[in-house]
């Protein structure tokens, strides 16, 4: 790799995208005093990671020695050694014996005739001594890039010293190019043997599609459609250097590739493979061109395409490293996707068409035959267009909507303008397939192109619907589309039904008005029924049913029944906005968790079969929600992470995905990550103007903050949720289930009156709707209020009842939380617990710990362990009697004041009460204000005055 080329592609050494795990492993190893060997193929980002790590550690390491070898200079002896030690030679020379100093000076300056053969031992010892001398002044970091080009003499000397440094504080941070994992072992083993014994080898692998997208965005190539990013990821093989070069070529190209065509491969990348391609015979090159044009080339396919000597010619290519052998099958596989892309891009257009023409009869799959026929044909051809449309329908039925969209666009290109269906109608079908495939950017671009010329009202309204669908949760960004769509629809009930269905979503998402959304959906359903459009009618009924369910409307079950009635549209039935989704939500809100799990599992299976990417993202999240309610925290964490990964990859539903992932992390993962994800969810939903998911995101932030011990932050977030849901007309507390968290957080911040108000208002709605699990959680929260007021007996009674009811309904995590609260009360009064005497208070936590372990609720289990540790620690002195002046304080305020009297610091108080330090500080401020005092000293004086009495 030319040095100037590699540097231009990696100009920002401070950014390491998609390397969090590898970077973290290397950083941890260096922090322990160990050495690191980064390895991977050319362009994979080794130099970027190495430079970033070196810059980070240079701030705390007194001496950093660097060298970076190049292929053109690898024949020059001692060059890398001169880079490493040349600048410090004067600093260490006095510490070296004369023979070693002379040999080293001769090697580094070139003024003598030092060689390994002549001065081998002296040079080896000189390098070792020099490093030890530098280390005597402080830790040393040796940074060496591109070890594969190190001159042999420097490599030998550095390896000799590295193996003998022992406990000397010298770390090596090196990078070496290796090829595929299956072939690289011997290569990097050789470099490991030349490294210190504690060296950790860290392989850098290919980036994911989402990471490639982030890299392109960071470098300014953010305008590329996601379908193009997908092609870049596939062609680059996840190699960041190759991906950036492909992105640059696309950004500079005046005309992007049409569907079915490969990406343009820039000259910079073609040069990497064309030298080897030039060594092929002409016939072997034609054979490889046919292989590069095929989707799954095999020797049999190549024979059928007229390549009679395919085996010999592919063997020649494999010898040159252009093809990789596949031990698991007969497929012809290129060593890297870039080789195939460069070969195809380099071929003249007539040769490409000839290859596709041969494959159009040789391929066995009708979809492949149609695609090759299209790419072999120039101009319009109604027969070719019809075959492509048939192939697109077949791909759609197979669950490959992305392929269907590509074939549909090819069909439109070959459709004559006066045909029926026309080219724009086929383009819109392709756009709708792109929506299903989770490629909204492509869909929107197609629709807007159609709108520039389409005159038929049906096509225009259909195009507007694609534009609105492609906006996703950011539907407010396309507000201008609605009046234009209504104007184009005229008085046609079929077209008006489409527009009013989307207006229902606008009312919900942009305005947060469930009642208005319900009315729009009901109107759309009536219009669709009048026009005989069952598909739109079913979608509108499903929307109406879901809105009514979330509002607590009594008509929800009847509307769900209408949405589930025959005849059904199979694609609507499993769509995330269809009746199946509405029924799932109704089941969850009615505490029928087992039925909900069965329902959503079936829906997930069906949308995966159909390739419905956006619906898959939603159903993974729904299933994670169900598992979380059931107390299966580990499973919920896996599902929510998978859903979030898919959402980020496709760019759909990222706010909702982050919201659910935050809840799962708070239950079974990392609480800090939970808070971060919840904040991301809030930010995304606010940016999108998504009133529906904003309240859900804030509820997740409140919950995560509560689990993290920051009750004040929880109160702030959850008060906003209360305001938003009241304004939206949402009265069903089972929608977000945040009310118990708000009440608990208010108790922790010393505001039991407001907590009781939340409980009573929510309980009225829960009783009206029969929400058993919500009522049990509210009883748990009320028990905390009663305990704060000193009503211990009634608090215990409510907690016991709440726990039993939650267990009966299958809410495992909520049951465990009730057991934890019960343990806290009983531990405070160990004489009334199951045991008595020393350790009885700590023993009250055993059942809570057991339940949290069963749920795999690790953050909660850590809270139990902290509580047990606090109880089993050396007993604190008995708390002083509370002065009469403190009697008017709230429970939390009295507890904090009492601990201040004992001499506890704010941090110690926070640990004892499981709240944040900020909460302690705010509580003390209220105590000062209520008592008319100014400081902690005044509280201690109150205690002292009481004792004196």
């Amino acid at each position: 790799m030319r040095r100037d080329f590699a540097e231009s592609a990696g100009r920002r050494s401070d950014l390491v995208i998609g390397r969090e795990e590898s970077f973290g492993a290397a950083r941890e190893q260096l922090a322990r005093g160990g050495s690191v060997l980064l390895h991977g193929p050319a362009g994979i980002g080794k130099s970027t990671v190495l430079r970033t790590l070196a810059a980070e550690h240079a701030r705390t390491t007194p001496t950093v020695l660097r060298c970076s070898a190049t292929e053109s200079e690898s024949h020059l002896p001692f060059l890398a050694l001169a880079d490493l030690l040349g600048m410090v030679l004067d600093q260490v020379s006095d510490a070296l014996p004369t023979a070693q100093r002379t040999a080293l000076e001769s090697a580094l300056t070139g003024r003598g005739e030092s060689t390994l053969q002549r001065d081998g031992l002296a040079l080896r010892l000189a390098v070792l001594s020099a490093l030890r001398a530098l280390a005597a002044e402080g830790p040393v970091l040796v940074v060496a890039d591109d070890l594969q080009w190190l001159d042999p003499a420097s490599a030998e000397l550095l390896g000799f010293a590295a193996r003998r440094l022992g406990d000397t504080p010298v770390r090596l941070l090196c990078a070496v190019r290796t090829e595929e994992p299956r072939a690289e072992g011997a290569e990097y083993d050789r470099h490991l043997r030349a490294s210190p014994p504690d060296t950790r080898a860290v392989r850098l692998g290919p980036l994911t599609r989402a990471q490639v997208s982030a890299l392109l965005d960071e470098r300014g190539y953010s305008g590329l459609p996601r379908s193009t990013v997908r092609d870049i990821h596939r062609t680059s093989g996840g190699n960041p250097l190759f991906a950036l070069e492909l992105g640059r070529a696309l950004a500079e190209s005046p005309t992007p590739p049409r569907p079915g065509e490969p990406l343009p491969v820039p000259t910079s990348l073609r040069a990497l493979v064309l030298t080897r391609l030039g060594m092929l015979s002409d016939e072997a090159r034609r054979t490889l061109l046919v292989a590069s044009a095929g989707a799954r080339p095999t020797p049999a396919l190549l024979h059928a395409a007229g390549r009679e000597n395919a085996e010999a010619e592919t063997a020649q290519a494999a010898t040159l490293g252009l093809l990789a052998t596949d031990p698991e099958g007969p497929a012809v596989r290129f060593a890297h996707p870039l080789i195939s892309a460069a070969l195809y891009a380099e071929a003249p257009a007539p040769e490409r068409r000839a290859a596709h023409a041969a494959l159009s009869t040789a391929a066995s799959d009708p979809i492949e035959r149609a695609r090759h026929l299209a790419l072999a044909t120039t101009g319009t051809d109604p027969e070719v267009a019809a075959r492509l449309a048939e192939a697109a329908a077949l791909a759609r039925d197979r669950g490959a909507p992305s392929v269907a969209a590509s074939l549909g666009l090819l069909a439109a290109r070959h459709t004559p303008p006066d045909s029926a269906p026309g080219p724009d109608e086929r383009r819109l079908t392709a756009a709708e397939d792109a929506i299903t495939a989770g490629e909204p950017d492509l869909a929107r671009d197609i629709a807007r192109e159609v709108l520039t010329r389409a005159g038929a009202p049906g096509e225009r309204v259909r195009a507007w619907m694609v534009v609105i669908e492609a906006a996703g949760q950011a539907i407010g960004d396309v507000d201008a589309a609605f009046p234009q769509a209504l104007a184009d629809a005229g008085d046609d009930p079929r077209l008006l039904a489409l527009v009013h269905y989307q207006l229902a979503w606008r009312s919900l998402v942009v305005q947060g008005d469930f009642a208005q959304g319900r009315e729009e959906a009901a109107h759309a359903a009536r219009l669709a029924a009048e026009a005989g459009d069952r598909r739109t009618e079913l979608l509108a009924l499903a929307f109406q049913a879901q809105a009514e369910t979330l509002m607590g409307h009594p008509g929800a079950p009847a509307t769900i029944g209408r949405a589930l009635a025959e005849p059904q549209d199979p694609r609507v039935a499993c769509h995330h906005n269809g009746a199946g989704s509405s029924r799932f939500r109704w089941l969850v809100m009615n505490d029928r968790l087992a039925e909900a799990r069965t329902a959503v599992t079936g829906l997930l299976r069906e949308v995966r079969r159909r390739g419905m990417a956006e619906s898959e993202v939603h159903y993974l999240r729904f299933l994670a929600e169900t598992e979380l309610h059931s107390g299966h925290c580990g499973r919920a964490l896996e599902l929510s992470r998978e859903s979030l990964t898919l959402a980020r990859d496709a760019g759909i539903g990222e706010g909702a995905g982050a919201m659910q992932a935050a809840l799962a992390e708070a239950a079974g993962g990392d609480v800090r990550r939970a808070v971060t994800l919840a904040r991301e969810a809030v930010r995304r939903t606010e940016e999108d103007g998504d009133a529906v998911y904003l309240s859900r995101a804030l509820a997740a932030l409140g919950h995560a903050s509560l689990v993290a011990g920051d009750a004040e932050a929880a109160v702030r977030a959850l008060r906003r949720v209360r305001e938003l849901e009241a304004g939206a007309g949402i009265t069903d507390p089972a929608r977000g289930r945040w009310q118990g968290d708000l009440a608990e957080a208010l108790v922790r911040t010393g505001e039991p009156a407001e907590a009781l108000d939340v409980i009573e208002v929510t309980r009225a709605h829960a009783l009206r709707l029969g929400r058993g699990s919500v009522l049990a959680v509210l009883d748990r929260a009320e028990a905390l209020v009663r305990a704060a007021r000193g009503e211990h007996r009634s608090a215990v009674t409510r907690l016991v009842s709440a726990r039993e009811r939650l267990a009966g309904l299958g809410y495992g995590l909520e049951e465990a939380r009730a057991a934890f609260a019960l343990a806290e009360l009983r531990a405070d009064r160990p004489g009334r617990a199951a045991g008595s005497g020393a350790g009885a208070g700590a023993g009250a936590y055993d059942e809570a710990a057991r339940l949290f372990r069963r749920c795999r609720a690790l953050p909660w289990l850590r809270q139990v362990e902290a509580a047990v540790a606090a109880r089993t620690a050396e007993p604190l002195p008995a708390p002083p009697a509370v002065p009469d002046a403190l009697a008017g304080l709230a429970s939390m305020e009295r507890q904090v004041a009492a601990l201040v009297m004992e001499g506890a610091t704010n941090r110690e108080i926070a640990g004892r009460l499981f709240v944040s330090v900020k909460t302690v500080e705010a509580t003390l401020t209220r105590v000062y204000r209520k008592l008319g005092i100014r400081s902690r000293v005044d509280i201690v004086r109150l205690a002292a005055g009481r004792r004196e009495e």
Side-chain angles (χ1 to χ4, degrees), residues 655-701:
M659 175 271 296
Q660 186 60 49
L663 293 171
E665 291 284 351
D670 185 320
V671 178
R672 288 174 299 180
R673 177 168 168 75
V675 173
T676 300
L677 284 166
R679 286 174 178 159
E680 177 192 342
V682 172
R683 175 179 57 79
R684 286 186 179 278
T685 51
E686 286 180 331
E687 288 173 353
D688 290 343
D690 182 354
V692 174
Y693 272 107
L694 176 58
S695 62
R696 298 288 304 275
L698 285 165
L701 178 58

Side-chain angles (χ1 to χ4, degrees), residues 861-871 911 914:
L861 187 59
R862 283 191 283 271
Q863 287 195 32
V864 174
E865 291 169 349
V868 171
R871 302 288 178 183
F914 299 104

Side-chain angles (χ1 to χ4, degrees), residues 492-497 525-534:
D492 186 328
R494 182 180 64 85
L495 300 180
L496 284 170
R526 289 191 294 271
L527 288 167
E530 177 186 341
D533 181 358
R534 183 62 173 163

